[in-house]
Amino acid sequence: TWNEVSKNGENPYNEDLLSKTTDDFYVKVEYDPEKTGTATEDQKSNKLTLEFIYVQKTDGGAIIPDNTASFGGQTVTLAAAGNDGLYVDTYEDGRCIYRGANPDNYISFNDELWRIISIETDGTLKIMKNDSIGNMVFDSNSNMTGSTSWDAPAYLNTYLNGTYYKNISDEYIPKIENGKFRVGAVDVKNLDLADAVLKEKTKIFNCFIALPTATEYVRASININCASVNAYYSNSSCYRNGETHNWMYSIAQSTTYKYMWLLTNYTSNYVYSVYNGRFNPQDYRGNFGVLPTLYLKSDITLSGSGTKDDPFTIN
């Protein structure tokens, strides 16, 4: 007899199953105690059919009920405006991003501390290392082919997807998604962040490891006055006081000489870097901090709370 269906011993009904997440249900099947005798061979093996009744709650995309978002088996409450935490990305539908001075977006990867940049529309997690792997040139004269674009290929592209990738532990390599990195050029004078996001997306390069983009640096801030690429070039309150509103700022400040590379091109001869919090379109031969950035596959499950002392950990 089929006695019950339960979800971890509790009533399984009337709960939302979020996009890209799973739930386990348990069916308890046992013999009828009133029956006697010996079961026939046919009776020892029978089929059980479960009827799955569901209601699709949206027209598509992620379901975010009760002001929460779900990823890696974790449910995270979205931050109230002006607070550190996870936000719905207002510039890209179905995407969530971490913003603020020090949100709980720490994640352990390759036995190192990384940070979650975003939960993408396909359920993958975009993460960035929490500290630089050292100062390197974006490219050099000997490697240039007339463009500083990532797909030239730039020296950093070759290094990160070659030497660095091969040194990642075998345990973690299968967790990495072949990512679609945005390498479109953006003008530092661009005052419209929505337009800058679109410009970055005009050119896509597939690889395993790259760098954070200029608009991702901007979107990490909760300061509404810093919501443009130009703000990090011309507004001193944005680039000088980033520790109060932008978690990427603190990471950039921890690099040698307070310089870090970004993935975004400014022109054919210059690439964005962050210097002392400020966007600084820089000749590709500069020797600056490198923050590897990659995508984790959507089917991973996580434990932990995301704090620095209890980072999300891949199960």
Side-chain angles (χ1 to χ4, degrees), residues 52-74:
F52 180 59
I53 302 173
Y54 71 95
V55 177
Q56 181 70 32
K57 297 191 67 175
T58 70
D59 294 328
I63 303 172
I64 307 179
D66 304 324
N67 207 37
T68 62
S70 182
F71 58 90
Q74 299 285 317

Side-chain angles (χ1 to χ4, degrees), residues 137-249:
V137 296
F138 194 96
D139 212 326
S140 63
N141 281 328
S142 60
N143 291 327
M144 290 306 296
T145 58
S147 169
T148 57
S149 178
W150 189 251
D151 58 352
Y155 167 78
L156 274 184
N157 183 347
T158 302
Y159 175 80
L160 290 176
N161 289 281
T163 302
Y164 184 82
Y165 179 82
K166 292 176 182 178
N167 286 330
I168 294 175
S169 170
D170 290 343
E171 174 187 354
Y172 292 95
I173 287 290
K175 312 297 184 184
I176 302 175
E177 184 73 56
N178 187 11
K180 296 179 180 179
F181 290 94
R182 300 159 183 186
V183 296
V186 174
D187 191 327
V188 74
K189 300 179 181 63
N190 192 302
L191 300 177
D192 188 334
L193 184 54
D195 181 58
V197 171
L198 291 176
K199 288 183 182 299
E200 283 185 344
K201 293 168 70 174
T202 58
K203 194 172 186 180
I204 303 295
F205 187 83
N206 286 82
C207 59
F208 289 108
I209 304 175
L211 302 168
T213 71
T215 69
E216 285 170 338
Y217 189 93
V218 173
R219 285 181 277 179
S221 171
I222 53 172
N223 186 337
I224 60 174
N225 296 316
C226 301
S228 73
V229 175
N230 181 263
Y232 278 94
Y233 181 74
S234 61
N235 188 340
S236 61
S237 65
C238 293
Y239 60 76
R240 287 180 181 170
N241 305 309
E243 72 276 359
T244 65
H245 60 87
N246 189 325
W247 61 270
M248 283 196 188
Y249 170 90

Side-chain angles (χ1 to χ4, degrees), residues 116-130:
I116 299 175
I117 296 175
S118 58
I119 297 95
E120 300 294 324
T121 56
D122 61 358
T124 57
L125 300 186
K126 193 171 189 179
I127 67 173
M128 179 182 85
K129 199 170 184 299
N130 192 54

Side-chain angles (χ1 to χ4, degrees), residues 9 19 25 46 59 75 84 86 108 124 137-138 153 158 177 203-204 227 233 239 251 260 269 286 292 303 308 310:
S19 177
F25 291 86
N46 283 292
D59 294 328
T75 299
D84 293 358
L86 187 64
S108 178
T124 57
V137 296
F138 194 96
T158 302
E177 184 73 56
K203 194 172 186 180
I204 303 295
Y233 181 74
Y239 60 76
I251 294 176
M260 67 176 273
N269 295 316
S303 57
K308 187 174 183 179
D310 182 33

Side-chain angles (χ1 to χ4, degrees), residues 34-50:
E34 295 182 0
K35 298 294 183 180
T36 60
T38 303
T40 66
E41 289 301 315
D42 289 340
Q43 291 172 330
K44 290 180 181 179
S45 177
N46 283 292
K47 293 182 179 180
L48 175 65
T49 301
L50 297 180

